[in-house]
Amino acid sequence: MHTVKKVLVVEDELKIARLVRDYLTGAGFAVVEATDGEAALSMARAERPDMILMDLGLPGLDGLDVTRRLRQTSSVPIIMLTARAEETDRVVGLELGADDYITKPFSPKELVARIRAVLRRAENTLGGGDVITARDVTIDIPKMRVTVAGENVELTTSEFELLVTLARHPGRIYTRAQLLELIKGISFESYERSVDAHIKNLRKKIEHDPRRPLYIQTVYGVGYRFGDE
Ligand code: CA
């Protein structure tokens, strides 16, 4: 038996809001709605949704403001709804802690698939285990040991930290700036290019074909994510 998941849809364009509500109720979700940022914050508190679908362009408090405020107290999964032109906002949103984004216009199928993926990941990361397994990669965090198909792989500390960060939240997009922040405490290289260099080395060590990576995937123009499917 599945419990019905509740989605808070934050969207000021009524036509889109209605479409989204129809898609989601059709797919078996419970839907609550807010049409501006203030309402989104109070609905999030009152309704305790399982996830939030957040339009970025809202009157008053915009989607980024709402995401920033929500993240002070809540780790509820957030998917941003963005227009094609909002690439900078998308990156800022991910850095504020949004989990994913969908670009308008989107298909109902894509929307539902993304929501299910984010909900599934949110459930999986709650366990927070010490050993992460994805296909034939195993990461033993306390022992700082990584194996690929049973074979030990030697990683530098920076590579290990990058891999663990990505793999702890499969599918979640990390921007280069976020990953850079992470490795800055470890090494003194402070250019975003150094993230790419570490990723390149990491791929050589764990991917069967580093040019077509299964695990460390590039999100074009944004950053990287760990592939879990
Ligand atoms: Ca809007």
Side-chain angles (χ1 to χ4, degrees):
M1 280 282 283
H2 291 286
T3 50
V4 173
K5 297 287 185 188
K6 193 195 284 181
V7 180
L8 169 58
V9 177
V10 185
E11 171 62 79
D12 61 317
E13 276 171 74
L14 296 180
K15 239 169 88 179
I16 299 179
R18 198 180 314 134
L19 266 176
V20 169
R21 185 184 57 210
D22 290 349
Y23 295 162
L24 297 189
T25 47
F29 294 101
V31 174
V32 289
E33 290 168 90
T35 53
D36 64 60
E38 294 289 354
L41 285 172
S42 54
M43 288 292 265
R45 271 182 225 116
E47 295 283 344
R48 306 217 146 259
D50 295 291
M51 71 144 299
I52 300 177
L53 197 60
M54 177 92 66
D55 181 34
L56 287 190
L58 297 169
L61 278 183
D62 70 18
L64 294 177
D65 296 326
V66 177
T67 300
R68 186 179 297 115
R69 295 211 192 169
L70 281 172
R71 277 292 174 262
Q72 290 168 0
T73 55
S74 162
S75 58
V76 61
I78 299 173
I79 298 181
M80 300 177 281
L81 284 178
T82 72
R84 208 163 283 285
E86 294 173 323
E87 190 173 327
T88 322
D89 286 352
R90 214 177 296 166
V91 173
V92 172
L94 292 167
E95 280 165 6
L96 289 173
D99 294 78
D100 201 352
Y101 62 84
I102 298 177
T103 309
K104 295 176 190 175
F106 46 82
S107 73
K109 224 171 150 183
E110 184 192 5
L111 179 71
V112 169
R114 291 294 191 86
I115 289 176
R116 291 214 167 106
V118 164
L119 286 170
R120 192 183 58 239
R121 279 182 236 143
E123 278 174 3
N124 289 343
T125 48
L126 285 180
D130 285 345
V131 178
I132 299 169
T133 310
R135 290 194 213 88
D136 55 0
V137 170
T138 302
I139 310 166
D140 185 327
I141 298 168
K143 290 185 182 155
M144 288 189 69
R145 225 178 70 161
V146 176
T147 60
V148 178
E151 298 284 324
N152 258 322
V153 177
E154 293 297 329
L155 299 183
T156 66
T157 312
S158 297
E159 289 162 6
F160 183 79
E161 292 296 333
L162 284 173
L163 179 63
V164 168
T165 299
L166 292 167
R168 265 198 203 282
H169 302 279
R172 175 161 177 180
I173 303 164
Y174 288 87
T175 65
R176 286 187 173 78
Q178 284 173 310
L179 297 174
L180 182 67
E181 226 10 76
L182 173 81
I183 57 175
K184 246 179 13 195
I186 302 165
S187 64
F188 291 101
E189 305 148 278
S190 48
Y191 297 102
E192 298 203 2
R193 210 177 303 134
S194 77
V195 170
D196 296 346
H198 287 303
I199 294 284
K200 197 174 162 196
N201 291 333
L202 194 50
R203 281 178 174 156
K204 272 190 216 150
K205 293 178 182 179
I206 70 167
E207 300 283 356
H208 295 289
D209 180 357
R211 280 166 308 175
R212 261 176 302 206
L214 287 175
Y215 299 109
I216 315 284
Q217 300 169 354
T218 300
V219 182
Y220 185 74
V222 178
Y224 297 98
R225 77 198 316 173
F226 191 81
D228 64 334
E229 53 220 28

